[in-house]
Amino acid sequence: MTVTDLISEYRKGVFGGGKIAEAVDIYEEMLEKRCTVFLGLAGALIPSGMGKIIAELIRDNMVHVVVSTGANVTHDLIEAFGGFHLKGIQGVDSELHEKGIDRIYDAYIEDGSFVLFEENIQQILQRVDPELSVSDLMNELGRHVQSPHSFIRQAYLKNVPVFVPAFTDSILGLQTFLYSQDHPFFLDHIKDVGKIVGLVSDAAGAIFLGGGVPKNFIFQSMLMSPHTFSYALQITTDRPEYGGLSGATLEEAISWGKVSETSKLCTVYCDVTIAFPLIVAGVRNLFSRK
Amino acid sequence: MTVTDLISEYRKGVFGGGKIAEAVDIYEEMLEKRCTVFLGLAGALIPSGMGKIIAELIRDNMVHVVVSTGANVTHDLIEAFGGFHLKGIQGVDSELHEKGIDRIYDAYIEDGSFVLFEENIQQILQRVDPELSVSDLMNELGRHVQSPHSFIRQAYLKNVPVFVPAFTDSILGLQTFLYSQDHPFFLDHIKDVGKIVGLVSDAAGAIFLGGGVPKNFIFQSMLMSPHTFSYALQITTDRPEYGGLSGATLEEAISWGKVSETSKLCTVYCDVTIAFPLIVAGVRNLFSRK
Amino acid sequence: MTVTDLISEYRKGVFGGGKIAEAVDIYEEMLEKRCTVFLGLAGALIPSGMGKIIAELIRDNMVHVVVSTGANVTHDLIEAFGGFHLKGIQGVDSELHEKGIDRIYDAYIEDGSFVLFEENIQQILQRVDPELSVSDLMNELGRHVQSPHSFIRQAYLKNVPVFVPAFTDSILGLQTFLYSQDHPFFLDHIKDVGKIVGLVSDAAGAIFLGGGVPKNFIFQSMLMSPHTFSYALQITTDRPEYGGLSGATLEEAISWGKVSETSKLCTVYCDVTIAFPLIVAGVRNLFSRK
Amino acid sequence: MTVTDLISEYRKGVFGGGKIAEAVDIYEEMLEKRCTVFLGLAGALIPSGMGKIIAELIRDNMVHVVVSTGANVTHDLIEAFGGFHLKGIQGVDSELHEKGIDRIYDAYIEDGSFVLFEENIQQILQRVDPELSVSDLMNELGRHVQSPHSFIRQAYLKNVPVFVPAFTDSILGLQTFLYSQDHPFFLDHIKDVGKIVGLVSDAAGAIFLGGGVPKNFIFQSMLMSPHTFSYALQITTDRPEYGGLSGATLEEAISWGKVSETSKLCTVYCDVTIAFPLIVAGVRNLFSRK
């Protein structure tokens, strides 16, 4: 059975299954209409093993702008530097701490991978211009890593801007702070606001993996634009009733003018690590059929 | 890309995606070990379009005992009688009510399908023994319907018992009450307790689609047995911290002796309509490879 | 600070806090309008310690019809027989099993309490009419227990019917099965459908603690009535998008004619053990002020 | 009935209710032990009406360090400038958009409040040093507003640092970008990393309202410290199984060395707008009794 057959089964149904098929159709239409695709990356996507899928979407011109948490950049670079994430480790958290293993639900990473990260990132920071915007720094980092599975690398190769509004809220941010202790280093966050605002248009679609800062930063860029996103797709497990933006419906964004009544909107309430590989496989199969 | 390829990708990852692969492995092992597979059906599975998958699992000897809500039996029979569920209907609930359309989130059913149900079920009730256990009535109903897509029909054909502990909590229950108004009719619920207790053994595995009465009724059958389920797989979106059984971890069942320390347990936190078709497709592809 | 002061603070706000105040107002209005109040009891409410609140609501004429899971009846009777629930027990589930302690998230019960339950219930069953409806059996059980903290006792004293549609799905159901092995015993489930249908009217309000069978059984009673519930209040942590009735919005029930456009509806998305004591305290304080 | 009586009732129970009482005890102990209390503010807390509670906690020396989203700062200042949030507005999102009303679930704000915000913030920005760290800017803003209900004002008065790691991810960030178009303006984000790291110690406790960047930024500060938080309390509706930090258990933080085995940890799974006013009222009543 192919994923396309499976998607066809979902298409007949309702609830979450029906939404999977709808998401495939919307993402496919974004690509057919040559939209600028904005991708928001929240949650521990790289530790979960989603990095390769994201890197390949950038490589294959299926994503054109990325907004990420600092943690996803950190863990992408850790893997690019030869560090790794583990699964199947046993033991309670205090035992893990003694062993120097850090837990991210059922993903694990050894302190050694962070040491490797520190060694590499401190060297790279010495080689980059000490006055950059955050997105320019991401581009520089992409220049200095080689792994084709790194989305930071692929973004550099494809000239895809990567925005990290909460840059200091990450181990990469901590490392940059350490570097700044004995080197001049100024990271311009405000400049990136103008840069992303310059990228939005009516020919844009947004894909939100989780909510958080990436979702809001992508959406708020439309507040300074006469345009709206023509497509928006979010995969989340959060919910609207508690009032946070991460769980807000995409319809709510109509009131803010971030999307319009005629925009195509789809929310899939599902663990991103289940839904996104399925949706991407569905879109790729549809494309390969053409 | 085949579903097997996709499952292989999930197998490398963690979080929900990793659980999908684990669920495929556990269900496959249940079948290889020739376990008696108990399937719990909670939530609006038939209106969602999952009926065909469930019927085919029974047909193909992949499920051997079913515990269902009365609603899933009702909607299965509605489709077997020629009624149907709709999707894509517009309008607020008061408009739907005026049009005689009933909503189940984004599934819809016309009052006409319930009229059809009433006509058929009242006729069938006249043809069945007025003193039956609930599971015997399910078997009788399966004898009187023809659709191969009906899990009640397939259960009849394969002699798979279908238990419905909350029988009166359904439109089928309401119809039975109406019938009982002018016909002698006695439905034995207690007898089914002994019947399901007689089916459990160490060579049994449980699959719970949602929680509710089906989950508890399957699990409690082990309280009157020296055995435990060797495998348990649940797909749920509920959570443990609120204390209800639907969201309880499978590990909690170890304290009750429903499963043991050595039982293989897997919980997938996902919409059943997304996860179950994927897991079943994965199991079927693995089988077809052998 | 009084609970009334706190409710006043909630009343100014939105999201869940605002809903708490709205729930207080709706429950208060149900009582002022002398509605028949239907209470649905799903989830492990008695093990959680909510039994006293429920018993007192019945005692004080604030609840007039109860629909419960069999488990809540079982645990209510266990406490009435002198058994008890524990908190603060340490140990993993396999250790608890060895010690004969059963876990319900962070509530615990010793096997001894179930032995006590068996001894008492087997004796009581010998003293009751062997041909009863489930609700009549609940009334008989209330006659044979003494604890004022038992909702089954208070329901007996106040002639409040208690419906248990999934009676056999409980340890009480297992005990009844054991009794039926060597004693004639017939429990009429269908008769209760007519009984609850006879209780609904436009002067009725429903309060759902969790969803499950109690929610559906209360709501479906309106399908055989020209009336609708004028008030409905649900406290749940489930959500609509997965399609199950437990998480369904109360607005969806308009399409089914269970409530109407003019009914007052309120859903509080919260753990019942947090929200319900707060709401009840708020209603009682408002009443005491009059 | 006083809130203290209600908390006593919760203390006897389990599930979420028991956690409310545990949270009161832990927050009370943090204060008795003279801990530095770090408060993380995620989600639309100010639009929900929680601003006054937060401002009063700072005023009364019950919170000593704040990490907030930019949105909460923006909405706090909007109210300080005389703007306001509304509730009870009717209409679908497209109608709201035409009326110039923006929706935040069931909170609403008129475009006029944002115009007022722009006028005021642009004037204030002209009066502040054009080279500040983000937390220094928050202090400056607090100097220029007067409302005692503003947590930014109270933080200024009590010299409580307010960190906003994702500053540009907010309308305040957009306004700062606009200002920077024709005025030199440099906001140092990296400097704040050193500042918060300098504040952590073993005599510190963390309270997380929601997760997001505030939770991670508070916790990661311990990665550069030999210490751990002795207390951590989180109120969240997110869950661990999807792998994101917002839903991560506090126990997971033991593996990272952010808290230790001996730290007192409590997670309340509840809407912050329900649980936090209740917990704060409980702590205040306990204090007033001393």
Side-chain angles (χ1 to χ4, degrees):
Chain A
M1 187 185 201
T2 67
V3 172
T4 305
D5 302 328
L6 181 60
I7 301 293
S8 305
E9 288 307 307
Y10 285 129
R11 188 167 281 107
K12 299 173 193 163
V14 292
F15 307 165
K19 290 294 179 188
I20 291 287
E22 199 179 316
V24 168
D25 297 341
I26 286 182
Y27 191 6
E28 190 194 4
E29 190 174 320
M30 282 191 216
L31 297 171
E32 283 177 335
K33 295 286 178 67
R34 305 244 174 285
C35 283
T36 304
V37 178
F38 288 67
L39 180 67
L41 304 178
L45 299 173
I46 304 304
S48 79
M50 304 274 289
K52 190 160 161 290
I53 291 175
I54 295 162
E56 290 172 355
L57 289 174
I58 295 169
R59 180 197 67 195
D60 300 341
N61 306 307
M62 295 169 74
V63 165
H64 312 100
V65 179
V66 173
V67 180
S68 177
T69 59
N72 277 316
V73 175
T74 300
H75 289 269
D76 178 86
L77 294 173
I78 283 171
E79 295 193 345
F81 295 148
F84 44 85
H85 296 91
L86 303 161
K87 64 181 289 189
I89 306 287
Q90 300 302 318
V92 299
D93 290 299
S94 53
E95 293 165 354
L96 294 174
H97 183 57
E98 284 163 25
K99 294 177 187 167
I101 297 172
D102 306 303
R103 184 169 73 87
I104 302 165
Y105 188 54
D106 63 346
Y108 304 84
I109 181 165
E110 295 169 313
D111 291 345
S113 285
F114 289 113
V115 172
L116 186 69
F117 177 70
E118 176 161 10
E119 292 166 357
N120 283 268
I121 204 70
Q122 290 296 330
Q123 283 179 31
I124 293 174
L125 288 173
Q126 290 178 33
R127 285 184 256 136
V128 303
D129 178 340
E131 291 206 12
L132 292 170
S133 71
V134 177
S135 62
D136 290 339
L137 175 61
M138 294 303 114
N139 189 58
E140 277 300 306
L141 294 176
R143 180 197 311 277
H144 289 85
V145 296
Q146 303 308 325
S147 169
H149 302 320
S150 160
F151 80 84
I152 291 295
R153 175 64 176 176
Q154 290 295 346
Y156 163 73
L157 293 174
K158 306 297 292 193
N159 199 28
V160 165
V162 177
F163 297 97
V164 188
F167 175 84
T168 57
D169 179 42
S170 65
I171 290 174
L172 174 58
L174 296 180
Q175 286 296 330
T176 307
F177 162 71
L178 289 176
Y179 181 78
S180 73
Q181 295 297 84
D182 41 25
H183 303 78
F185 199 76
F186 153 43
L187 208 49
D188 191 340
H189 284 63
I190 296 173
K191 187 178 170 191
D192 277 341
V193 174
K195 187 170 174 181
I196 192 168
V197 166
L199 295 167
V200 299
S201 75
D202 285 332
I207 299 175
F208 305 110
L209 304 187
V213 163
K215 179 181 178 183
N216 190 64
F217 196 70
I218 289 172
F219 259 164
Q220 78 169 19
S221 62
M222 277 299 182
L223 295 180
M224 301 186 73
S225 155
H227 306 291
T228 60
F229 284 101
S230 296
Y231 302 90
L233 166 60
Q234 76 178 345
I235 305 174
T236 182
T237 53
D238 207 339
R239 57 189 299 164
E241 298 85 356
Y242 306 130
L245 186 79
S246 294
T249 63
L250 295 170
E251 289 66 26
E252 182 177 296
I254 295 173
S255 75
W256 292 83
K258 297 165 178 175
V259 295
S260 80
E261 255 186 302
T262 59
S263 302
K264 292 196 177 174
L265 309 176
C266 177
T267 300
V268 182
Y269 290 98
C270 189
D271 184 322
V272 169
T273 65
I274 295 174
F276 197 55
L278 185 53
I279 292 164
V280 169
V283 171
R284 285 184 172 282
N285 281 18
L286 284 166
F287 264 54
S288 65
R289 287 214 318 283
K290 292 176 182 176
Chain B
M1 187 185 200
T2 67
V3 172
T4 305
D5 302 328
L6 180 60
I7 301 293
S8 305
E9 289 306 308
Y10 285 129
R11 189 167 281 107
K12 298 173 194 162
V14 292
F15 306 166
K19 290 294 179 188
I20 290 286
E22 200 179 314
V24 168
D25 297 341
I26 285 182
Y27 191 7
E28 191 194 3
E29 190 174 319
M30 283 190 215
L31 297 171
E32 283 177 336
K33 295 284 179 67
R34 306 244 175 284
C35 283
T36 304
V37 178
F38 288 67
L39 180 66
L41 303 178
L45 298 173
I46 304 305
S48 79
M50 304 274 290
K52 190 160 161 291
I53 291 175
I54 295 162
E56 289 172 354
L57 289 174
I58 295 169
R59 180 197 68 194
D60 300 341
N61 306 308
M62 295 169 75
V63 165
H64 312 100
V65 179
V66 174
V67 179
S68 177
T69 60
N72 278 316
V73 175
T74 300
H75 289 268
D76 178 87
L77 293 173
I78 283 172
E79 295 193 347
F81 295 148
F84 44 86
H85 296 91
L86 302 161
K87 63 180 292 189
I89 305 289
Q90 300 303 318
V92 298
D93 290 300
S94 53
E95 294 165 353
L96 294 174
H97 184 56
E98 283 163 25
K99 294 177 186 167
I101 297 172
D102 306 303
R103 183 169 73 89
I104 302 165
Y105 188 54
D106 62 347
Y108 304 85
I109 181 165
E110 294 170 313
D111 291 345
S113 285
F114 288 113
V115 173
L116 186 70
F117 178 70
E118 176 161 10
E119 292 166 354
N120 283 269
I121 204 69
Q122 289 296 331
Q123 284 179 30
I124 293 173
L125 288 173
Q126 290 178 33
R127 285 184 256 136
V128 303
D129 178 340
E131 291 207 10
L132 291 170
S133 71
V134 177
S135 63
D136 290 339
L137 176 60
M138 294 303 116
N139 190 57
E140 278 301 306
L141 295 176
R143 180 197 310 278
H144 289 86
V145 297
Q146 304 308 325
S147 168
H149 302 319
S150 159
F151 80 84
I152 291 295
R153 176 61 177 178
Q154 290 295 346
Y156 163 73
L157 294 173
K158 306 296 292 193
N159 199 28
V160 164
V162 176
F163 298 97
V164 188
F167 175 84
T168 56
D169 179 42
S170 64
I171 290 174
L172 174 57
L174 296 179
Q175 286 294 331
T176 308
F177 162 71
L178 288 176
Y179 181 78
S180 73
Q181 295 297 84
D182 42 25
H183 303 76
F185 199 76
F186 154 44
L187 207 50
D188 190 340
H189 285 62
I190 295 172
K191 188 179 171 191
D192 277 341
V193 174
K195 187 170 175 181
I196 191 168
V197 168
L199 295 166
V200 298
S201 76
D202 286 332
I207 299 175
F208 305 111
L209 304 187
V213 163
K215 179 181 178 183
N216 189 65
F217 196 70
I218 290 172
F219 259 165
Q220 79 170 19
S221 62
M222 275 301 180
L223 295 180
M224 302 186 73
S225 155
H227 306 291
T228 60
F229 284 102
S230 295
Y231 301 90
L233 166 60
Q234 76 178 344
I235 305 173
T236 181
T237 54
D238 208 339
R239 58 188 299 163
E241 298 85 356
Y242 306 131
L245 186 79
S246 294
T249 62
L250 295 171
E251 288 67 26
E252 183 176 296
I254 295 173
S255 74
W256 293 83
K258 297 164 178 176
V259 294
S260 81
E261 253 185 304
T262 59
S263 302
K264 292 196 178 173
L265 309 176
C266 178
T267 299
V268 182
Y269 290 99
C270 188
D271 185 321
V272 169
T273 65
I274 295 174
F276 198 55
L278 185 53
I279 292 164
V280 169
V283 171
R284 286 184 172 281
N285 281 19
L286 284 166
F287 264 53
S288 64
R289 287 213 318 281
K290 295 178 181 174
Chain C
M1 186 183 202
T2 67
V3 172
T4 305
D5 302 328
L6 180 60
I7 301 293
S8 304
E9 288 306 308
Y10 285 129
R11 188 168 281 106
K12 299 173 194 162
V14 292
F15 306 165
K19 290 294 179 189
I20 291 286
E22 199 179 315
V24 168
D25 297 342
I26 286 182
Y27 190 7
E28 191 194 3
E29 190 174 318
M30 284 189 215
L31 297 171
E32 283 178 335
K33 296 284 179 66
R34 304 243 176 284
C35 284
T36 304
V37 177
F38 288 66
L39 181 66
L41 305 178
L45 299 174
I46 304 304
S48 80
M50 304 274 290
K52 189 160 162 289
I53 291 175
I54 295 162
E56 290 173 354
L57 288 174
I58 296 168
R59 180 198 67 193
D60 300 341
N61 306 308
M62 294 169 75
V63 165
H64 311 101
V65 180
V66 174
V67 180
S68 177
T69 59
N72 278 316
V73 175
T74 299
H75 289 269
D76 178 86
L77 293 173
I78 283 171
E79 295 193 347
F81 294 148
F84 44 86
H85 296 90
L86 303 161
K87 64 180 291 189
I89 306 288
Q90 300 304 317
V92 299
D93 290 299
S94 53
E95 293 165 355
L96 294 174
H97 184 56
E98 284 163 26
K99 295 178 185 167
I101 297 172
D102 306 303
R103 184 169 73 87
I104 302 165
Y105 187 54
D106 63 346
Y108 304 85
I109 181 165
E110 296 169 313
D111 291 346
S113 285
F114 288 113
V115 173
L116 186 69
F117 178 71
E118 176 160 10
E119 292 165 356
N120 283 269
I121 204 69
Q122 290 296 330
Q123 284 178 30
I124 293 174
L125 288 173
Q126 291 178 33
R127 284 183 259 137
V128 303
D129 178 340
E131 291 207 11
L132 292 170
S133 71
V134 177
S135 62
D136 291 338
L137 176 60
M138 293 303 115
N139 189 58
E140 277 301 306
L141 295 176
R143 180 197 311 278
H144 288 85
V145 296
Q146 303 308 325
S147 168
H149 301 320
S150 160
F151 80 84
I152 291 295
R153 176 61 176 177
Q154 290 294 346
Y156 162 73
L157 293 174
K158 306 297 291 192
N159 199 27
V160 165
V162 177
F163 298 97
V164 188
F167 176 84
T168 57
D169 178 42
S170 65
I171 289 173
L172 175 57
L174 296 180
Q175 287 295 331
T176 308
F177 162 71
L178 289 176
Y179 181 78
S180 72
Q181 295 297 83
D182 41 25
H183 303 78
F185 199 77
F186 154 44
L187 208 50
D188 190 340
H189 284 63
I190 295 173
K191 188 179 170 191
D192 278 341
V193 175
K195 187 170 174 181
I196 192 168
V197 168
L199 295 167
V200 299
S201 76
D202 286 332
I207 299 174
F208 305 111
L209 304 188
V213 163
K215 179 181 178 183
N216 190 63
F217 196 70
I218 290 172
F219 259 165
Q220 79 170 18
S221 62
M222 276 299 182
L223 295 179
M224 302 186 72
S225 155
H227 306 291
T228 60
F229 284 102
S230 295
Y231 301 89
L233 166 60
Q234 76 178 344
I235 305 173
T236 182
T237 53
D238 208 340
R239 58 189 298 165
E241 297 85 357
Y242 306 131
L245 187 77
S246 294
T249 62
L250 295 170
E251 288 67 26
E252 182 177 296
I254 295 173
S255 74
W256 293 83
K258 297 165 178 176
V259 294
S260 81
E261 252 186 304
T262 60
S263 302
K264 292 194 178 173
L265 310 176
C266 177
T267 299
V268 182
Y269 290 99
C270 188
D271 184 321
V272 169
T273 65
I274 295 175
F276 198 56
L278 185 53
I279 291 164
V280 169
V283 171
R284 285 184 172 281
N285 281 19
L286 284 167
F287 264 54
S288 64
R289 287 214 319 282
K290 292 177 182 173
Chain D
M1 187 184 200
T2 67
V3 172
T4 305
D5 302 328
L6 180 60
I7 301 293
S8 304
E9 288 306 308
Y10 285 130
R11 188 167 283 107
K12 299 173 193 162
V14 292
F15 307 164
K19 290 294 178 188
I20 291 287
E22 199 178 315
V24 169
D25 297 342
I26 286 182
Y27 190 7
E28 190 194 4
E29 190 174 318
M30 282 191 217
L31 297 171
E32 283 177 335
K33 296 284 178 68
R34 306 243 175 284
C35 283
T36 304
V37 177
F38 288 67
L39 180 66
L41 304 178
L45 298 174
I46 304 304
S48 79
M50 304 274 289
K52 189 159 162 291
I53 291 175
I54 295 162
E56 289 172 354
L57 288 174
I58 295 168
R59 179 198 67 193
D60 301 341
N61 307 307
M62 295 169 74
V63 165
H64 311 101
V65 180
V66 174
V67 179
S68 177
T69 59
N72 278 316
V73 174
T74 300
H75 289 268
D76 178 87
L77 293 173
I78 283 172
E79 295 193 347
F81 295 148
F84 45 85
H85 296 91
L86 302 161
K87 64 181 289 189
I89 306 288
Q90 300 303 317
V92 298
D93 290 300
S94 54
E95 294 165 353
L96 294 174
H97 183 56
E98 283 163 26
K99 293 178 187 166
I101 297 172
D102 306 303
R103 184 168 73 87
I104 303 166
Y105 188 54
D106 63 348
Y108 304 84
I109 181 165
E110 294 168 313
D111 291 345
S113 286
F114 288 113
V115 172
L116 186 69
F117 177 70
E118 176 160 10
E119 292 165 356
N120 283 269
I121 203 70
Q122 290 296 331
Q123 284 179 29
I124 293 174
L125 288 173
Q126 290 177 33
R127 285 185 256 135
V128 303
D129 178 340
E131 291 207 12
L132 292 170
S133 71
V134 177
S135 62
D136 291 338
L137 175 60
M138 294 302 116
N139 189 58
E140 278 300 305
L141 295 176
R143 180 198 311 279
H144 289 85
V145 296
Q146 303 309 324
S147 168
H149 302 319
S150 160
F151 80 84
I152 291 295
R153 175 62 176 177
Q154 290 295 344
Y156 162 73
L157 294 174
K158 307 296 292 193
N159 198 28
V160 164
V162 176
F163 298 97
V164 188
F167 176 84
T168 57
D169 179 40
S170 65
I171 290 174
L172 174 57
L174 297 180
Q175 286 294 330
T176 307
F177 162 71
L178 288 177
Y179 181 78
S180 72
Q181 294 299 84
D182 42 25
H183 303 77
F185 199 76
F186 154 44
L187 208 49
D188 190 341
H189 284 63
I190 296 173
K191 188 178 170 191
D192 277 341
V193 174
K195 186 171 175 181
I196 193 169
V197 168
L199 295 167
V200 299
S201 76
D202 286 332
I207 298 174
F208 305 110
L209 304 188
V213 163
K215 179 181 178 183
N216 190 64
F217 195 70
I218 290 171
F219 258 166
Q220 79 170 20
S221 63
M222 275 300 180
L223 295 179
M224 303 186 72
S225 155
H227 305 291
T228 60
F229 284 102
S230 295
Y231 302 90
L233 166 60
Q234 75 178 345
I235 305 173
T236 182
T237 53
D238 207 339
R239 59 186 300 163
E241 298 85 357
Y242 306 132
L245 186 79
S246 294
T249 62
L250 295 170
E251 289 66 27
E252 182 176 296
I254 295 172
S255 74
W256 292 84
K258 297 165 177 175
V259 294
S260 81
E261 254 186 302
T262 58
S263 302
K264 292 196 177 173
L265 309 176
C266 178
T267 299
V268 182
Y269 290 99
C270 187
D271 184 321
V272 169
T273 66
I274 295 174
F276 198 55
L278 185 53
I279 291 165
V280 169
V283 171
R284 286 184 172 281
N285 282 18
L286 284 166
F287 264 53
S288 65
R289 287 213 319 283
K290 292 176 183 176

